[in-house]
Amino acid sequence: MRDLAAVDERLSALGLGAFDGAVETSLGRNKNFHGLATTGQRLFVKWFQRDPGGERFNRNHAFEATGSTVPKRPTLILDDAELGIAVYEYIEGVETATLAARENRLTPGHTATMGALVSQLHAVEPVGIGRHRCAMPPDLLFDAMPLEMFLGATGAELEMWRLMQGDPEIVEAIATLRRVEHREDYRTVVVHGDLRLDQFLINDDDVLLTDFEDVRIGDPARDLGAVVGELLYTAVIGIPGRLAEHLPYGAVVGHADILAEGSAAVEEQRPLIAGFMAAYREHGGEVDVQTGERIMRFAGWHMLDRMLVMSERANLIDAVTRGAAGIGRTILVQPSEFLDLLSESAHAH
């Protein structure tokens, strides 16, 4: 527990007291601790590890330094550059929107609140916030994969990259997103930069937005497409269960069956997506047709990216994963065909 000892020492020096039985979680890039401090306060500590130059810490600090009271988020007590930690009030009884979505408990009311939060974020004055290049989509990997990455990849990862690198329409769609995002004459806002459903915390009907370490000035379609894409991804990963429910036992599953169930699953997400986009616009977010197309391109990429993450734990791409990736690919390269998923939002301007 050397890491916890270092955190305890720093918390004590900052006057917050040491943890009294902390729980450690190391999901993603950061190491996190939460629990009751000796002062009686419940704390959540994010320790920015694997953070060269403190870039993620600095972006998180810059966002909090804007002084904006929106979007609603966990309260930052303090942050400390010396150790690279941010200390928040711990919120009891919350769950991520990811869990709610996978258990079919995410409602249009929830996604409407999420849309309002993102709209508020995009309206924040960008004082002290930089315009940094986003790591995703990794356009350079569409030319070639570094040797170290190649040697450490699973068979499924290599197959996914082979399919994408060999698809000129995917390569051009990714290049199009990158070109637009770095044009100086393009409308930009403060974006979250790494938005996923697990960045939204739900407590009954209340929703908070978290994790601002990738905040920057950028294309609003990036954030919107990430949420839409994750809602669609959540739908398509349920294809195996839908097939088991709708096909006779022992039936041979064909490509047409996978696409049919995938299309039905996507359609069922329409109310959630419509609620999200409608609230985004109602709270001042601007979405014209061109923005709508970029939203859907980012959504398609997000689906492919989630499939890449899944492939890190597999040796082969099964038929369902291949079919789900195909849905993401179609959305990425033919975004105008899916604008109706955004309801009236993509057509109003």
Side-chain angles (χ1 to χ4, degrees), residues 133-152:
R133 178 181 174 85
C134 286
M136 295 291 180
D139 47 336
L140 297 180
L141 292 181
F142 285 88
D143 291 327
M145 180 183 292
L147 178 61
E148 183 179 0
M149 181 179 177
F150 176 84
L151 294 175

Side-chain angles (χ1 to χ4, degrees), residues 69-75 113 116-117 120-121 199-201 206-210 212:
T69 59
V70 294
K72 188 173 184 179
R73 57 193 185 274
T75 300
T113 304
L117 291 173
Q120 291 167 354
L121 171 64
Q199 314 286 25
F200 294 96
L201 301 180
D206 198 17
V207 183
L208 294 85
L209 182 57
T210 66
F212 297 93

